[in-house]
Amino acid sequence: MLIGTAGHIDHGKTSLVKRLTGRNTDRLPEEIKRGISIELGYAYIPAADAQVEPLGFIDVPGHERFVHTMLAGATGIDLALLVVAADDGVMPQTEEHFEILKLLGVRAGAIALTKVDAVAPARVDEVGEQLAQWLAPTVACDWRVFALSSLTGEGVQALRDWLQAQAARWPQRRAAGQFRMAVDRVFSLAGVGTIVTGTVHAGSVAVGDEVLVQPSGRRARVRSLRAQDRPAERGVAGQRCALNLAAIGRDEVERGEWVQSAMLGNLTQRLDAIMERTRATELRSDTMVHLHHGTLDVLARVAVLDNTDPAAVLVSLTIVEPVAASAGDRIVLRDAQARHTLAGGTVVDTAVPARGRRRPERLALLRQLAALQASDRGAALQARLLHGPCATSALKSGWNLRDDEFDLLLAASGARCAADLLFDGAHWTRLAEQARQATAATHEREPEMPGLEQHRLRRMVAPALPQEAITTLLDELIDVGTLVRRGAFVALPSHKVELARDERVRWEKIKPLFMDKRFEPPRVRDIARDTGIAETDVRALLRRVARVGEITLVAHDHFFITDAVAEMAEVAGELARTHGAARAAEFRDRIGTGRKLAIQILEFFDKVGYTRRVRDDHLPRRANPWRAQAAAPPQERAAA
């Protein structure tokens, strides 16, 4: 269990921690000289049982100028120790520190009423009554009050016993998600190297793990670690850890950064959050604020999305630099001058749309996510997908899910995954039906064609989706027999044709013209001139043969033997593997044609979705779709 102090300056936080643990957490010369805490301090009470973790303390400064440091220390604590001096009673920083604890979601705590040796018993009773009245309407209404003196030791043992009893029954945090630790201290030791310390917010880390320091993006390896002030092989959520990092310098890490799993990509400069306000008049759109996230203090611009519920205001934050955030993270907002705490709450979404942030459906989704993410992620995912597909990688990082956690969530929700996109199950079924209908409509409109090109189907059904998602959809439809694949085309199984006897005779006479120059066959007009058959009749015949699948229309009035198309596709794929892309000049030389025809063939591959064009490069999107077709005899292809 981690305990964090809070309270006004000079109320005895550091003295109390020293009395409890035997360690003075003021280590800087200036702190010792001035007698006030400036930086965070750390101490532990060792457990009598070696199997029980030490009790950890984070001591924070009480001066109003160091509220940002207090916030860094209070992030991730389990229990608050609110320190109030009996002579002063409740003071401004007592109130602000307590407000911050509430905004950070700290619900458990105790109150140390210090310096009772310096006042009369009546004053102790008076301050006790003041505390009771002040805390009555808050989450701390039942916090136990310990009257004590750090100087004489009166009452300190009772507090220590109570804290250890709390720790003994405190539930261990689930080490769910990828590893995330907010860095609050960085130093180096001779012969050891760079040490970073902080509270582990999620997941676990082990000696030898590769980690990423965000937002800098620097990689490091955990050489050794200490958890709760003891050497360990592994650190888990809820513990304070010190990591000895290899391959990174002392000046390459700083407070405010996160040490995370190398698999986690959660950098963002925009996030939506649900907030509880402390100063309603000062949380306005288009104002700059200090955003406190983990141990980081960074400037951000506020956009108030919905303030109809004063206790749960939806805001969107645009941050001046990237932060490593995930849904569920606690954040606090202070004014631009860092004088007042304005609001605190929870990150709801890190994948903020560029437009439509205030649309009613978007606001409704944010409130649903805020209510469900902590308690029922399956329901939260279903709510999210009802508003359209979302990127798988963004969701896994934005929700900090390990692969196994994501797979379980996916199975429970009935969602479908395709090309790094997640779809609601019903949405996926609708897309499948739309693809079938589009294919059927194409058969009615273009009966001479063997089917519908995959790239064209995407434009008809879901132009906003990546081609890879459509490929996955079509593969499923083909697997269940709803559609069949004919080279670069898909078709209904019922869309079949056989050549009439006279058509077969004419085609066999024309076919040698295609076989003589497989990669540069004659056009329709050339065939008509050489055979004496009317051009319209040649065109109609070739379209019928194309529907059977023996030839493929590559450019206007330019048909190729389908086996030759498969070979040319192999050449394009081989060039891409060898040179990084298929380009017109190299492709022309390989197939022995002119440049114009080579360009037309590559453009055909782009059109049907086999490749995609990036400037003058043609990059394969998927495996050669004609390979199986080319391997089968013509009669089998016709029956496919």
Side-chain angles (χ1 to χ4, degrees):
M1 187 170 73
L2 291 178
I3 301 164
T5 64
H8 199 75
I9 185 173
D10 200 34
H11 277 203
K13 296 183 294 297
T14 303
S15 298
L16 177 57
V17 171
K18 182 179 180 181
R19 192 79 189 200
L20 286 166
T21 66
R23 182 182 297 181
N24 184 4
T25 57
D26 283 348
R27 64 186 186 280
L28 301 179
E30 187 179 356
E31 292 178 312
I32 297 170
K33 178 181 177 181
R34 297 174 60 186
I36 64 170
S37 297
I38 297 172
E39 265 294 350
L40 298 174
Y42 312 99
Y44 298 86
I45 297 178
D49 184 349
Q51 302 302 314
V52 178
E53 283 188 352
L55 198 57
F57 288 83
I58 302 176
D59 186 34
V60 305
H63 196 284
E64 62 181 342
R65 288 174 50 196
F66 302 121
V67 171
H68 62 286
T69 306
M70 179 269 173
L71 271 158
T75 298
I77 66 171
D78 298 307
L79 185 143
L81 186 57
L82 184 63
V83 179
V84 181
D87 52 357
D88 286 340
V90 176
M91 296 290 282
Q93 294 314 121
T94 313
E95 295 178 340
E96 183 165 23
H97 280 204
F98 179 67
E99 191 70 52
I100 288 170
L101 292 172
K102 289 195 301 179
L103 297 177
L104 288 174
V106 179
R107 296 291 179 262
I111 299 167
L113 185 55
T114 60
K115 302 186 181 181
V116 296
D117 59 307
V119 298
R123 175 59 181 167
V124 175
D125 294 340
E126 180 184 346
V127 176
E129 183 60 32
Q130 179 192 27
L131 287 169
Q133 292 179 3
W134 173 49
L135 298 175
T138 73
V139 294
C141 59
D142 59 351
W143 285 11
R144 186 168 169 180
V145 178
F146 293 88
L148 53 85
S149 168
S150 300
L151 183 62
T152 67
E154 177 188 351
V156 173
Q157 186 60 47
L159 173 61
R160 182 189 289 112
D161 292 343
W162 184 84
L163 290 173
Q164 290 180 323
Q166 295 297 307
R169 58 174 175 266
W170 196 261
Q172 185 175 359
R173 294 192 205 178
R174 290 179 59 245
Q178 304 275 13
F179 170 67
R180 299 178 71 213
M181 186 183 86
V183 176
D184 56 28
R185 188 182 176 206
V186 185
F187 58 95
S188 60
L189 294 175
V192 177
T194 302
I195 309 290
V196 298
T197 71
T199 300
V200 181
H201 284 240
S204 64
V205 64
V207 173
D209 284 355
E210 185 182 30
V211 293
L212 202 62
V213 178
Q214 293 286 29
S216 70
R218 294 184 175 90
R219 290 183 177 268
R221 180 177 55 81
V222 180
R223 182 183 286 131
S224 62
L225 68 86
R226 294 177 68 89
Q228 294 296 96
D229 204 34
R230 297 190 299 189
E233 290 295 314
R234 178 174 295 275
V236 300
Q239 292 180 326
R240 277 199 58 76
C241 285
L243 308 182
N244 175 205
L245 298 182
I248 195 166
R250 160 69 183 84
D251 57 350
E252 294 179 304
V253 195
E254 60 184 15
R255 173 183 288 175
E257 293 191 291
W258 290 77
V259 177
Q260 303 188 144
S261 164
M263 304 297 292
L264 190 57
N266 59 341
L267 285 187
T268 182
Q269 284 188 258
R270 302 177 69 186
L271 53 85
D272 288 346
I274 189 161
M275 311 292 290
E276 177 185 348
R277 294 182 297 188
T278 62
R279 294 173 178 264
T281 59
E282 296 187 39
L283 189 62
R284 298 189 299 270
S285 287
D286 206 34
T287 57
M288 296 300 292
V289 297
H290 282 269
L291 166 65
H292 294 269
H293 169 247
T295 55
L296 178 68
D297 175 4
V298 64
L299 289 174
R301 187 174 298 277
V302 176
V304 178
L305 304 179
D306 179 20
N307 59 3
T308 54
D309 182 355
V313 180
L314 291 176
V315 302
S316 190
L317 298 168
T318 303
I319 310 163
V320 298
E321 60 188 51
V323 298
S326 292
D329 287 355
R330 285 280 178 172
I331 59 174
V332 172
L333 304 182
R334 305 190 81 227
D335 68 318
Q337 291 73 39
R339 288 197 300 255
H340 306 296
T341 301
L342 305 179
T346 306
V347 174
V348 177
D349 194 7
T350 59
V352 180
R355 296 180 179 84
R357 291 180 299 173
R358 292 185 175 87
R359 294 173 60 185
E361 53 267 34
R362 171 68 183 174
L363 299 180
L365 171 61
L366 290 177
R367 294 202 179 276
Q368 278 184 295
L369 293 178
L372 294 172
Q373 277 173 336
S375 58
D376 190 343
R377 276 187 162 171
L381 178 60
Q382 289 178 328
R384 173 65 186 82
L385 295 181
L386 286 177
H387 289 75
C390 66
T392 303
S393 56
L395 183 112
K396 289 171 70 173
S397 289
W399 288 17
N400 189 19
L401 297 170
R402 298 192 309 263
D403 287 344
D404 59 322
E405 294 169 334
F406 173 76
D407 292 342
L408 287 173
L409 182 63
L410 196 65
S413 67
R416 303 301 302 273
C417 185
D420 194 43
L421 285 178
L422 280 178
F423 296 81
D424 174 66
H427 184 190
W428 188 256
T429 301
R430 289 195 300 272
L431 285 176
E433 177 58 21
Q434 290 168 3
R436 190 199 66 77
Q437 291 177 359
T439 305
T442 300
H443 291 334
E444 292 183 10
R445 187 171 58 252
E446 302 170 1
E448 74 282 358
M449 295 299 291
L452 178 59
E453 305 103 318
Q454 182 170 312
H455 206 55
R456 186 178 169 200
L457 184 145
R458 169 178 168 267
R459 294 197 302 269
M460 295 170 66
V461 173
L465 293 182
Q467 185 66 49
E468 292 76 7
I470 296 298
T471 298
T472 301
L473 178 71
L474 294 180
D475 286 346
E476 289 191 8
L477 291 174
I478 291 166
D479 287 344
V480 299
T482 302
L483 298 177
V484 294
R485 193 182 297 281
R486 293 172 182 157
F489 301 87
V490 292
L492 297 178
S494 59
H495 183 67
K496 297 177 181 177
V497 67
E498 294 182 1
L499 295 177
R501 184 174 183 179
D502 62 325
E503 291 174 329
R504 173 60 65 181
V505 170
R506 280 186 290 166
W507 164 237
E508 291 299 331
K509 289 181 179 180
I510 293 174
K511 186 175 181 180
L513 299 176
F514 287 85
M515 302 301 293
D516 289 345
K517 287 191 171 184
R518 291 167 57 81
F519 298 153
E520 197 173 7
R523 291 179 178 269
V524 168
R525 63 176 180 272
D526 302 323
I527 296 172
R529 183 191 63 234
D530 293 346
T531 61
I533 303 174
E535 185 174 325
T536 54
D537 292 342
V538 172
R539 184 176 294 110
L541 172 63
L542 294 183
R543 286 182 174 177
R544 292 278 292 175
V545 178
R547 185 174 174 185
V548 172
E550 293 186 47
I551 59 176
T552 298
L553 180 61
V554 171
H556 176 66
D557 273 358
H558 210 166
F559 294 84
F560 286 68
I561 292 290
T562 299
D563 289 346
V565 176
E567 291 180 40
M568 293 188 295
E570 280 297 311
V571 170
E574 182 182 336
L575 287 173
R577 289 189 294 273
T578 305
H579 303 291
R583 301 179 183 89
E586 292 91 341
F587 184 70
R588 172 202 62 196
D589 294 342
R590 285 290 302 274
I591 65 174
T593 66
R595 177 178 174 83
K596 180 178 179 181
L597 180 57
I599 291 174
Q600 288 179 328
I601 295 168
L602 290 174
E603 288 177 344
F604 167 74
F605 290 153
D606 295 337
K607 175 185 175 184
V608 299
Y610 171 53
T611 59
R612 63 184 176 92
R613 183 173 178 177
V614 180
R615 293 182 292 277
D616 292 331
D617 296 342
H618 299 266
L619 309 175
R621 290 176 177 268
R622 54 196 175 103
N624 182 352
W626 291 275
R627 180 175 294 158
Q629 296 294 114
Q635 61 270 23
E636 290 184 21
R637 292 200 303 272

